Amino acid sequence: MPRPPWNLLFGESLLTDSLAVVKPPMAKIADVFGRLEAFSLSMFIYVIGYIQMAGSNNVRTYASAQIFYAAGFTGLQILQQVFVADTTNLLNRALFSSLPDTPFLVTVWIGPLLASSILENANWRWGYGIWAIVLPAAFLPLALSLFLNQRRAEKMKLMPQSPWKGKSITQILKSLWHELDVMGILLLTAAFSLILIPLTLAASEKDRWRNASVVAMLVTGCVCLVLFTLWETNSRLTPKPLVSLRLLRNRTVMAGCGLAFFYFSKC
């Protein structure tokens, strides 16, 4: 069997990287800017991915579109869980957290029929392009609900005062640097990218480990991962870390992470 082209493997690795990296920054954006803004950003990236896939004419364009698609899809995934956590109590949270996955019970059966119908009556591009219309329309009720509740909270004076009110552009940028933990996001993204990409390439081609660039990427990724840990533990440089490492001492958090690790390893 012929090996897949290098650019397709590179795109698949970036897709995996997007799935792994997007969740912490998107949750951070939701905390800093708000749930509506984070949902809107994820939906925008998601739609851009579908539009680019519908208009792609080569593997490179399609692979880059998969990055937008994965980032938007993963962002919506984590924001759904954040929204459920905001609106439910601990007793019912497990039940409501599983509700967003219930459509898969139906789509696994009707999906192939819809795909065949689209291919018969239109073309494969509409198979992607149609979601650039359906997704914003489906998101509109949630967006309207969040917007109206936000306005209601502002009228009731329940919204906290903007932390950037009365500040200069320099002060706002400095505040966002700490609030979003930009350096932590960059180090985490670089670490996952430089570890996952060479692993994917090395596993797919013979003697790839003899390539110095693959080894260099892997070593650099491990270094970035160590630097990320050191950065996150420095309270002076990172007053509001992306990943609070003190949670590693929480048995409930570690049990949840262990369960998720073995669950996704099984998949």
Side-chain angles (χ1 to χ4, degrees):
M1 180 180 295
R3 296 188 180 94
W6 183 88
N7 50 10
L8 181 58
L9 293 171
F10 186 77
E12 289 178 351
S13 183
L14 287 179
L15 172 61
T16 306
D17 177 50
S18 299
L19 291 171
V21 174
V22 167
K23 290 184 177 181
M26 192 57 68
K28 192 73 170 177
I29 290 173
D31 284 338
V32 174
F33 293 102
R35 306 300 191 251
L36 174 60
E37 290 78 4
F39 265 114
S40 300
L41 176 61
S42 293
M43 182 58 63
F44 175 75
I45 297 173
Y46 204 7
V47 170
I48 289 296
Y50 272 118
I51 293 174
Q52 194 173 356
M53 281 191 285
S56 61
N57 293 313
N58 52 60
V59 174
R60 293 182 180 180
T61 305
Y62 185 83
S64 63
Q66 285 288 311
I67 300 173
F68 287 97
Y69 165 83
F73 172 76
T74 308
L76 288 177
Q77 247 188 350
I78 186 62
L79 290 173
Q80 286 175 359
Q81 298 303 316
V82 171
F83 180 76
V84 169
D86 287 341
T87 55
T88 60
N89 55 38
L90 188 59
L91 180 63
N92 300 318
R93 190 165 300 160
L95 172 63
F96 283 95
S97 294
S98 62
L99 288 181
D101 296 328
T102 52
F104 291 110
L105 297 174
V106 179
T107 55
V108 68
W109 306 110
I110 66 174
L113 298 176
L114 292 174
S116 299
S117 177
I118 291 173
L119 290 175
E120 290 174 2
N121 297 282
N123 54 52
W124 67 268
R125 295 186 186 276
W126 270 110
Y128 295 112
I130 191 173
W131 295 107
I133 303 172
V134 173
L135 287 173
F139 171 63
L140 189 59
L142 176 60
L144 186 61
S145 175
L146 291 172
F147 176 75
L148 292 177
N149 280 284
Q150 185 174 319
R151 291 292 298 272
R152 187 180 304 171
E154 290 175 354
K155 291 180 180 179
M156 297 174 65
K157 298 183 179 179
L158 298 176
M159 293 287 291
Q161 187 177 6
S162 174
W164 304 300
K165 186 176 181 180
K167 291 185 178 181
S168 63
I169 298 296
T170 305
Q171 291 173 325
I172 292 175
L173 292 177
K174 184 178 179 181
S175 177
L176 286 175
W177 173 270
H178 292 299
E179 291 284 346
L180 294 174
D181 189 15
V182 177
M183 180 57 71
I185 292 175
L186 293 176
L187 288 173
L188 183 63
T189 304
F192 274 96
S193 300
L194 294 172
I195 291 174
L196 293 176
I197 291 175
L199 288 177
T200 303
L201 295 177
S204 60
E205 292 194 20
K206 186 178 179 181
D207 297 331
R208 175 63 72 172
W209 286 113
R210 296 182 180 180
N211 190 329
S213 60
V214 171
V215 178
M217 283 193 293
L218 190 60
V219 172
T220 306
C222 293
V223 171
C224 289
L225 196 59
V226 173
L227 292 176
F228 171 75
T229 305
L230 296 175
W231 175 267
E232 294 295 294
T233 54
N234 192 317
S235 57
R236 185 176 64 85
L237 295 176
T238 318
K240 296 184 178 181
L242 176 67
V243 180
S244 182
L245 298 182
R246 64 180 176 81
L247 293 176
L248 296 178
R249 296 192 294 269
N250 188 310
R251 288 178 295 179
T252 304
V253 173
M254 292 306 298
C257 291
L259 180 64
F261 173 80
F262 286 107
Y263 172 76
F264 285 106
S265 298
K266 174 181 70 66
C267 295

